[in-house]
């Protein structure tokens, strides 16, 4: 019997208090592929994920649960979960939208709209402070391990690519506390280095990195940290994205989105409070002498370089549920978290600077791009609108600006506009120096210093050009628009007949 079916009642409506409840809903919606056994010593799980993406696309491939997995010559019990936030309708499921369909873009759009509707009148997210529960009531403490009892190597953490430095815990929210900035939660990959030792990889200038460097500068001997595995979808998304600003508490913002306080519990070996309803918590100390880490297959889909100096953590305690669940991110292969929360944040933030903004979309399947749609009225507006993005969205190397009739969730439609509406000269701006992404494999050696990466960016104005911009007095119509002008109900009619026309069609 499936995990979902074995639950007496399945709550299909998010937000969910745990990853397990979310996965049960996902399974009930038919979004989960169960694989009883897979041999990761032969990289079969990785190859399967690539194949699922090849076949169904980044926003259509199912979540996968591997029940048993072979790692380092041993069959280990899972479940190991992957691509649990892959399909776009997972966003709608996690956010509690009632009508779930397989129309993935429509589901993502619905999720985005729901999140945007949750902002207050100043465009800010509501916060609800977490509440502390007793240790005995916390599911993440059903099993408590300390000292020599801890052997992280016994758990099914994967090596995703043979070129990676080794096995990684790569979906943990690393929680730290700093008296000045408060609490931080960030997802950083952690290389397994021994039974009680792991790497911790906040990239330079991430909030987590700032926390650790501030503690180092204050002369503290180490930072206390707790790594949370398997948080509920919203708490996990808060740790995985820049929805919170430095100093804002991701756990309180998660509570705001969930409409109820997140339950937190005190760690065994520190005063840190961590989400209680999770699969596992790995507690420890991060000293400030650095060690080698990596290489690792990065989000751009290219192998990163080995780092000569990176943080590591000495593990002081591990607590977990009975039969914990594990999650692996196939980085650069699949989508990793609910992106609508972050994208709604970007939309609201930039709306203040760009009044005619209709939407921003950062497509994760083609890292480096950002699509912007505007309600264009004046010449030159595309560049004015894109300008703030070049400064504040490091990942946006290629910014494509389109008119509001183009669906920015549809890459093909955006590229169609680029092909048809864009004249490279003069409708292009190149910004020679702008803050950029260290992981971008195209960054040149001279563009990187220890603390900064300066890359170039391009703005492509693929909006219809107005006469003042050299465009025609009357812009040619789309063929489709011409059809609809003459036959406004033609699609309604054909949609009614479609099932009949398609009935003998086999895919
Ligand atoms: C699965 C996954 C793995 C990630 N790994 C890293 C990582 O190793 N280092 C990093 O700096 N950011 C990583 N990120 C992105 C950060 O989690 C994200 O930028 C987040 O905002 C960082 O939190 P912070 O802003 O509080 O530092 C990862 C995200 C996901 C979803």
């Amino acid at each position: 019997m499936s995990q979902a079916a074995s639950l007496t009642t399945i709550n299909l409506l998010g937000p969910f208090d745990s990853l397990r409840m979310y996965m049960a809903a996902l399974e009930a919606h038919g979004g989960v592929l169960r694989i009883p056994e897979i041999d990761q010593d032969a990289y079969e799980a990785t190859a399967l994920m690539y194949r699922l993406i090849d076949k169904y696309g980044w926003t259509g491939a199912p979540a996968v649960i591997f029940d048993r997995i072979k790692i380092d010559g041993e069959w280990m019990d899972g479940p190991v979960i992957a691509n649990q936030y892959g399909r776009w309708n997972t966003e709608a499921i996690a956010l509690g939208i009632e009508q779930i369909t397989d129309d993935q873009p429509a589901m993502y759009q619905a999720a985005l709209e729901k999140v945007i509707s949750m902002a207050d009148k100043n465009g800010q997210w509501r916060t609800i402070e977490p509440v502390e529960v007793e240790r005995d009531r916390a599911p993440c403490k059903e099993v408590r391990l300390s000292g020599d009892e801890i052997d992280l190597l016994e758990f099914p953490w994967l090596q995703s690519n043979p070129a990676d430095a080794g096995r990684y815990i790569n979906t943990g929210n690393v929680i730290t506390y700093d008296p000045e900035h408060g609490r931080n939660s960030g997802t950083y990959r952690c290389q397994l280095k021994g039974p009680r030792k792991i790497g911790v990889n906040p990239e330079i200038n991430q909030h987590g990195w700032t926390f650790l460097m501030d503690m180092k500068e204050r002369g503290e001997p180490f930072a206390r940290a707790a790594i949370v595995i398997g948080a509920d979808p919203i708490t996990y998304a808060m740790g995985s994205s820049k929805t919170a600003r430095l100093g804002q508490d991701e756990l309180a913002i998660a509570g705001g989105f969930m409409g109820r306080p997140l339950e937190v519990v005190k760690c065994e070996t520190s005063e840190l409070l961590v989400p209680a309803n999770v699969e596992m918590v790995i507690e420890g100390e991060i000293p400030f002498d650095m060690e080698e880490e990596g290489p690792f297959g990065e989000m751009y889909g290219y192998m990163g370089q080995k780092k000569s100096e990176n943080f590591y953590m000495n593990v002081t305690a591990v607590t977990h549920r009975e039969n914990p669940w594990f999650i692996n991110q196939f980085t650069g292969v699949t989508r990793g978290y609910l992106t609508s929360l972050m994208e709604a944040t970007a939309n609201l933030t930039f709306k203040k600077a760009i009044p005619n903004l209709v939407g921003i979309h950062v497509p994760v399947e083609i890292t480096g791009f950002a699509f912007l749609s505007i309600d264009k009225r004046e010449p030159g507006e595309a560049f004015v609108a894109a300008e703030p993005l070049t400064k504040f969205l490091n990942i946006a190397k290629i910014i494509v600006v389109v008119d509001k009739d183009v669906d920015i969730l549809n890459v093909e439609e955006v590229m169609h506009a680029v092909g048809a509406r864009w004249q490279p000269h003069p409708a292009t701006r190149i910004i020679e120096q702008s803050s950029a992404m260290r992981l971008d494999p195209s960054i040149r050696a001279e563009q990187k210093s220890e603390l900064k990466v300066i890359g170039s960016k391009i703005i492509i104005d693929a909006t219809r050009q107005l006469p003042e911009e050299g465009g025609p007095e009357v812009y040619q119509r789309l063929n489709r628009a011409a059809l609809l002008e003459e036959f406004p109900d033609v699609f309604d009619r054909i949609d009614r007949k479609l099932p009949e026309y398609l009935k003998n069609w086999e895919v």
Side-chain angles (χ1 to χ4, degrees), residues 213-254:
M213 294 314 272
D214 285 359
M215 289 185 218
K216 180 180 180 183
E217 244 163 56
R218 284 201 301 268
E220 293 176 26
F222 54 79
R224 291 189 196 281
I227 301 174
V228 169
I229 312 295
D232 67 84
I234 291 180
T235 305
Y236 181 63
M238 289 303 100
S240 301
S241 62
K242 287 272 176 295
T243 308
R245 293 192 298 274
L246 183 67
Q248 286 183 320
D249 180 9
E250 280 94 350
L251 305 191
I253 299 184

Side-chain angles (χ1 to χ4, degrees), residues 351-421:
K351 190 93 195 150
K352 290 178 191 151
I354 315 167
N356 58 345
L357 176 72
V358 175
I360 299 174
H361 178 52
V362 181
V364 292
E365 67 276 25
I366 45 172
T367 312
F369 281 87
F371 301 155
L372 199 70
S373 63
I374 60 168
D375 185 5
K376 181 177 164 182
R377 287 175 196 159
E378 303 287 330
E381 266 185 321
F383 296 116
V384 175
E387 182 73 18
L389 252 72
T390 62
K391 295 203 180 99
F392 299 111
L393 215 56
N394 290 357
I395 204 161
K397 179 169 70 176
I398 305 148
I399 301 175
V400 181
V401 189
V402 292
D403 296 300
K404 65 177 180 182
D405 65 326
V406 176
D407 178 3
I408 51 173
L409 297 184
N410 184 328
V411 177
E412 248 174 57
E413 235 183 82
V414 174
M415 290 305 139
H416 183 238
V418 171
R421 296 184 194 176

Side-chain angles (χ1 to χ4, degrees), residues 101-158:
T101 70
D102 282 337
D103 182 343
Q104 304 300 337
M107 288 288 95
Y108 191 68
Q109 187 63 41
L112 262 179
E113 283 167 18
K114 173 146 192 179
V115 180
I116 289 175
S117 76
M118 289 190 228
D120 68 16
K121 61 180 188 321
N122 301 316
Q124 302 291 322
W125 304 125
R126 193 174 151 217
T127 55
I128 299 181
E129 287 303 312
V131 288
E132 188 175 345
V133 296
E134 291 300 316
R135 288 193 172 108
D136 291 344
R137 279 200 44 223
C140 68
K141 291 193 190 273
E142 286 168 1
V143 177
R144 305 181 198 195
L145 305 172
S146 61
D148 290 351
E149 292 169 330
I150 304 168
D151 185 357
L152 287 173
L153 304 172
E154 282 182 354
F155 297 119
W157 315 111
L158 271 63

Side-chain angles (χ1 to χ4, degrees), residues 170-171 184-189 201-203 206-208 236 239-242 250 329 336-337:
N170 60 12
T171 61
N184 191 62
S185 170
T187 311
Y188 317 120
R189 67 167 188 252
N201 175 60
E203 297 289 338
Q206 290 280 43
H207 297 165
Y236 181 63
S240 301
S241 62
K242 287 272 176 295
E250 280 94 350
Q329 172 65 19
Y337 60 95

